[in-house]
Amino acid sequence: MSPTRVLVLNSGSSSLKYQLLDMRDRARLATGLVERIGEVTSRLRHTPPAGGTLRERTAPIADHEAALKCVAEELAADGLGLVSPELAAIGHRVVHGGKRFTEPTVVDDAVLAEIERLIPVAPLHNPANLTGIRTAQALRPDLPQVAVFDTAFHTTMPESAARYAIDVRTADEHRVRRYGFHGTSHAYVSRETARLLGKAPEDVNVIVLHLGNGASASAVRGGRCVDTSMGLTPLEGLVMGTRSGDTDPAVIFHLARVGGMSIDEIDTLLNKRSGLVGLCGDNDMREIRRRVDEGDEAAALAFDIYIHRLKKYIGAYYAVLGTVDAIAFTAGVGENAAPVRAAAVAGLETLGLAVDEALNTVRGDAPRLISPADARVKVAVVPTDEELEIATQTYALVENSN
C-alpha cells in the first residue's frame, strides 16, 4: 500500500507549527509548535496521538533546522518518525504565490526561486516559508515537498476585482494588484459550508468571514473566489487585531509630510499599532467584550468600528454575488464570539439575514447553522482547518503524480 501520511509545516520567522495527518481517514496523529526559535527561551509543545500526554521542552533552539530535528525526535518517540516509509509528502504553507501559483505545487529549484522573487510583496512571511522548505528538503531529500499558497484560492478573481485603478504599466512592473490571503481557510470553509447545506460547492454562493487576529472576507460563487478583502498585502480590508484595514492612502502622505514619520514608522503603525489595539489598547475580542459589558467607552467604540466595517463588506459582497446562500463565520473570533456574529447581521433582515439567539450561543467544534430554520440566507459557524486543507491538497497532488 502506498504511504498515506502527510506532515504539514507552517514556518514563521521565529516559530514552526506542525501537524502529522493520516489521509486515509484524515486523522491527526500529532500536532505541535516550536516558539522563539533563535532565543535561549525556545519552547516546543508536542501533542501526541489520542490518549497521549502533552509534552513540553524548554531549551535553546538555534534555527529552523534544529527546530525540525527536535520535531522529528518528538514524532519518533511516538513511533511516527520523519524517516517512516508511511510518510508520503511534506506540505508547506507559503503565504504569497503571486499570479503564477494557482494550485499546490511540488517544489523544485524554479519554484524556490519564484517564492524568493516574491519576497518584496511578502517580506515577513515568504523568507520564513522558504527556510522551512529548505530545512525539510535537507532532512528528507527523497520526499516530495509541496507548497500550498495562501493566495492560490483567490487567483480566480476577475481582473475587475483584482486590479487597482492605478497606471497599468506601473502596476504590472511592480506586481501591484489584489492577491488576497487566508486562501486555504476560505477554500476549506466555503466547501464545508456547501456540505452543511447538503449541496455541491458549485451550486452555492457563500460569503466567508475569516475573523481572527488577522481578518478577511471573501465572496465565493460556485466554489470560486470572485472577490476578497485583503489586497497586495494582508493590511487591506477588515479591522483586525493590530492592522488598520481599509485606510485612505493619503493618510500615509499626511503622516510623512505633517507628522514627520518615516515609511518604516508608518508601516509599523498601520500593521502593529492599529486595528483594535490602536483603538482601545486590546486586540483580544474576549477582553474587549468584557470591557464593553463594564461600560468602557473606548472598547465600545472599537467594537462598533469593527462591526461597521464587517457589515460594509457583507453588504458589498452580497451585491457582488447577487444571490447569497450562506454567510460563514470562521477562525478564532468568528467561531467563538457570539456577540460579533449577532451584531454583524443585526439590521440586515431585509437581506434575508438573521441569527437565532439560542443557536448562536451554543458552542461546538462541528459546523452548524445559527440562523432561524426559515431564514432565506443561512448563517453558519464553520470551524476552519487550514492544516487539513494543506494536507488534503498535498496528498491529492502527490497521488495524482504517482
Side-chain angles (χ1 to χ4, degrees):
M1 186 174 68
S2 60
T4 58
R5 292 177 182 171
V6 173
L7 177 64
V8 175
L9 298 180
N10 182 352
S11 301
S13 58
S14 61
S15 66
L16 177 65
K17 293 181 185 177
Y18 63 93
Q19 288 198 16
L20 180 65
L21 300 99
D22 192 323
M23 300 314 295
R24 284 176 296 188
D25 55 3
R26 311 206 306 178
R28 251 176 211 84
L29 302 179
T31 67
L33 169 65
V34 187
E35 299 177 285
R36 306 188 197 109
I37 295 172
E39 301 179 24
V40 295
T41 56
S42 306
R43 182 176 70 170
L44 187 153
R45 293 168 57 88
H46 177 84
T47 303
T53 303
L54 182 144
R55 301 195 294 269
E56 288 193 29
R57 59 162 95 173
T58 303
I61 297 176
D63 51 31
H64 282 74
E65 181 177 359
L68 193 52
K69 286 179 179 177
C70 290
V71 171
E73 291 170 7
E74 294 294 337
L75 292 172
D78 298 323
L80 304 168
L82 255 132
V83 297
S84 170
E86 295 183 65
L87 195 59
I90 300 179
H92 299 266
R93 179 199 180 206
V94 179
V95 167
H96 215 308
K99 288 180 65 179
R100 174 176 169 182
F101 297 114
T102 62
E103 296 177 337
T105 305
V106 175
V107 174
D108 57 20
D109 288 344
V111 171
L112 286 173
E114 182 64 13
I115 295 172
E116 192 161 13
R117 194 175 74 87
L118 288 163
I119 286 176
V121 289
L124 298 179
H125 298 95
N126 273 29
N129 302 154
L130 280 167
T131 299
I133 294 171
R134 287 173 172 144
T135 301
Q137 282 180 320
L139 289 179
R140 282 299 304 266
D142 57 311
L143 271 186
Q145 309 285 332
V146 177
V148 178
F149 299 90
D150 271 14
T151 50
F153 182 64
H154 304 303
T155 58
T156 56
M157 283 189 293
E159 285 293 280
S160 56
R163 283 247 180 215
Y164 292 109
I166 66 173
D167 173 68
V168 171
R169 185 176 301 175
T170 302
D172 289 347
E173 180 181 354
H174 298 288
R175 302 189 296 277
V176 176
R177 62 188 288 112
R178 171 168 283 106
Y179 292 102
F181 299 89
H182 295 144
T184 51
S185 177
H186 287 278
Y188 178 85
V189 170
S190 60
R191 195 170 59 247
E192 289 298 303
T193 302
R195 190 198 308 270
L196 182 63
L197 300 183
K199 298 181 178 181
E202 55 267 27
D203 296 328
V204 174
N205 289 354
V206 184
I207 297 173
V208 178
L209 303 173
H210 177 108
L211 307 180
N213 193 50
S216 60
S218 67
V220 183
R221 177 184 292 126
R224 294 166 61 86
C225 177
V226 295
D227 206 349
T228 192
S229 59
M230 286 180 167
L232 173 71
T233 75
L235 180 58
E236 189 179 3
L238 301 175
V239 175
M240 304 176 224
T242 65
R243 298 185 192 125
S244 64
D246 292 340
T247 306
D248 181 352
V251 169
I252 297 169
F253 314 143
H254 178 79
L255 292 175
R257 292 168 180 157
V258 178
M261 296 177 68
S262 69
I263 291 298
D264 287 344
E265 287 173 330
I266 298 170
D267 190 325
T268 298
L269 170 70
L270 296 180
N271 277 290
K272 297 181 179 179
R273 296 195 292 113
S274 295
L276 292 171
V277 78
L279 290 167
C280 70
D282 270 310
N283 64 332
D284 187 321
M285 186 57 74
R286 293 166 296 188
E287 181 64 15
I288 291 171
R289 284 303 312 174
R290 182 191 66 76
R291 289 171 55 186
V292 170
D293 292 340
E294 292 178 354
D296 186 304
E297 292 184 3
L301 178 59
F303 184 79
D304 288 347
I305 293 170
Y306 182 95
I307 295 299
H308 179 78
R309 185 82 55 82
L310 195 51
K311 282 191 176 187
K312 283 175 66 175
Y313 270 91
I314 291 172
Y317 287 170
Y318 204 118
V320 166
L321 291 171
T323 300
V324 177
D325 296 288
I327 291 181
F329 289 89
T330 194
V333 175
E335 294 170 28
N336 297 297
V340 168
R341 298 191 295 259
V345 301
L348 303 181
E349 290 82 7
T350 56
L351 298 180
L353 288 163
V355 163
D356 181 288
E357 184 176 351
L359 293 176
N360 190 34
T361 57
V362 174
R363 299 177 69 91
D365 297 327
R368 61 196 185 277
L369 295 177
I370 60 171
S371 47
D374 60 350
R376 190 168 82 247
V377 178
K378 304 302 181 184
V379 180
V381 178
V382 180
T384 191
D385 198 330
E386 295 175 86
E387 288 77 18
L388 176 58
E389 181 68 18
I390 292 170
T392 300
Q393 292 190 29
T394 296
Y395 187 65
L397 177 60
V398 172
E399 281 292 282
N400 289 337
S401 298
N402 291 339

